[in-house]
Amino acid sequence: LVPTKPSKTFEQTITLILPKVFIVILVLGVLWGLKVASDYGYFSDSLKIVLSYIGSLALFAIAYWMEKKQKGSMQVALMLYGGAFVVGILTTAAGAILYNVLGLYAALFIAFIYIGYGVAISYVKGTESLTALVVFTSFLLPYLLEYMDFNSLIIVAYVVLLFGVLQLVILKYQQKYALYVGTFLSVLALVITAVSAANDSIIYPVAISGVAAMFLVVMLKLFASLPAKHIAIHAGFIFSLLMYILLAVNIAVLLDQTAAFVSLSLLTAACVTVAFTAKKVEQRMLFDVTLSAALLTFLSMIFYFDTSYAMGMLLLFVTVTAGLLLANRLRMVFMQAVYSFLFA
């Protein structure tokens, strides 16, 4: 018999949650304190930035000391490592954009150092909450790049490369939720910068499809490790995320038929490939989800060559019906409620 993992007690759950709450309060407290001091004229903008960097280094030093001396909770130390990263990134963005204290290229250099630190600490420590924190903060950098008027290729290359590097951490420690967060934020960053640029570049939608392909390949590797009782929940997450990606591609193409054809073809091919690979390794639920997404993506591509109102309503009807049927198959109450509302 396979031994079952003992369920966490209420005290153990609180012990895991409190360090995360603590670091959020600490970071917000430091930022609020600096703002109050600035409002009363105690600190100049330059001094605020310097003090913030000192605070970031202090958080790292305290975390390192706690770990080496085995003082206090390891969870607290991990959150302090993450806090050092968050404070450093936010300070760099504020120094470059809000206060104009840092030169843009100096800020970019410092930001890359912090992101390298964040990825490294995630890889070494292997904690999903720390990885998710690093992912969330790292995807703020594309907005700095866009503010600096970098061309589309550099912004896209940064997002795709960062997402790809983070898969090393996610695969090593099987961090499924960090994968969901990373996929959501990387696609969001690409959509926002695509809309802001408004230059009809095919790079953005193709990059979104590339991120989706990486997500599907990694998810295929992780799917077998899911507990049986959670498979339906994750299948619902995957389908919803693929629909979000499909929406993002449709926004990013900016009604360009060529961009739509190329990016949606890539997304369809990725979904079909993973679907039949999943069937080969007997992951039936993943097969259902990805094949349904492939069908809807293909229909969306057809829409670009027939933009009539009737075709649009047909596409909406098929999408909602497929989502409702899949929700019923997975027995996902939330998905059933959402797609039933849309169907009505």
Side-chain angles (χ1 to χ4, degrees), residues 114-126:
Y114 269 104
I115 288 169
Y117 156 74
V119 173
I121 205 72
S122 299
Y123 189 83
V124 171
K125 302 304 178 185

Side-chain angles (χ1 to χ4, degrees), residues 83-232:
F85 172 77
V86 172
V87 171
I89 289 290
L90 292 180
T91 299
T92 304
I97 298 174
L98 296 180
Y99 302 130
N100 293 318
V101 171
L102 295 173
L104 292 178
Y105 287 97
L108 188 61
F109 177 73
I110 295 170
F112 276 126
I113 290 176
Y114 269 104
I115 288 169
Y117 156 74
V119 173
I121 205 72
S122 299
Y123 189 83
V124 171
K125 302 304 178 185
T127 305
E128 188 160 26
S129 56
L130 181 60
T131 304
L133 185 66
V134 169
V135 167
F136 178 79
T137 314
S138 296
F139 282 110
L140 296 175
L141 188 59
Y143 309 112
L144 176 61
L145 293 174
E146 206 239 336
Y147 176 80
M148 295 172 66
D149 290 328
F150 274 89
N151 65 48
S152 302
L153 185 59
I154 292 177
I155 297 174
V156 166
Y158 167 78
V159 173
V160 174
L161 181 61
L162 176 62
F163 184 76
V165 169
L166 286 168
Q167 301 319 300
L168 300 176
V169 181
I170 289 167
L171 279 171
K172 181 178 180 180
Y173 299 105
Q174 298 186 343
Q175 297 174 343
K176 296 167 282 291
Y177 295 104
L179 174 60
Y180 296 145
V181 172
T183 304
F184 179 85
L185 292 175
S186 59
V187 170
L188 181 64
L190 289 169
V191 169
I192 291 175
T193 49
V195 172
S196 299
N199 59 2
D200 297 330
S201 175
I202 195 174
I203 296 174
Y204 289 106
V206 168
I208 293 172
S209 297
V211 167
M214 281 192 280
F215 162 72
L216 287 169
V217 170
V218 173
M219 199 66 241
L220 180 63
K221 292 180 179 296
L222 298 180
F223 204 79
S225 66
L226 295 174
K229 62 180 181 180
H230 294 156
I231 285 180

Side-chain angles (χ1 to χ4, degrees), residues 47-111:
L47 185 57
K48 278 190 291 185
I49 298 301
V50 171
L51 289 175
S52 296
Y53 279 127
I54 291 173
S56 172
L57 295 174
L59 290 175
F60 174 82
I62 293 169
Y64 184 79
W65 176 81
M66 288 177 65
E67 185 179 9
K68 288 300 178 184
K69 299 295 183 180
Q70 297 184 340
K71 301 285 187 179
S73 167
M74 185 60 191
Q75 287 293 322
V76 173
L78 288 172
M79 288 300 102
L80 288 174
Y81 280 127
F85 172 77
V86 172
V87 171
I89 289 290
L90 292 180
T91 299
T92 304
I97 298 174
L98 296 180
Y99 302 130
N100 293 318
V101 171
L102 295 173
L104 292 178
Y105 287 97
L108 188 61
F109 177 73
I110 295 170

Side-chain angles (χ1 to χ4, degrees), residues 4-21:
T4 57
K5 292 175 66 177
S7 58
K8 293 185 177 68
T9 65
F10 177 74
E11 290 79 6
Q12 289 173 323
T13 303
I14 291 297
T15 302
L16 290 172
I17 292 174
L18 279 179
K20 300 175 180 62
V21 176

Side-chain angles (χ1 to χ4, degrees), residues 180 223 226-239 285 289 326-327 329-332 335:
Y180 296 145
F223 204 79
L226 295 174
K229 62 180 181 180
H230 294 156
I231 285 180
I233 297 174
H234 284 280
F237 284 158
I238 294 166
F239 183 75
M285 203 165 286
V289 168
L326 190 61
R329 179 176 175 80
L330 300 177
R331 298 192 178 118
M332 290 291 294
M335 279 183 68

Side-chain angles (χ1 to χ4, degrees), residues 236-237 239-240 323-324 326-327 330 332-340:
F237 284 158
F239 183 75
S240 298
L324 186 57
L326 190 61
L330 300 177
M332 290 291 294
V333 177
F334 178 75
M335 279 183 68
Q336 287 172 335
V338 171
Y339 283 105
S340 295

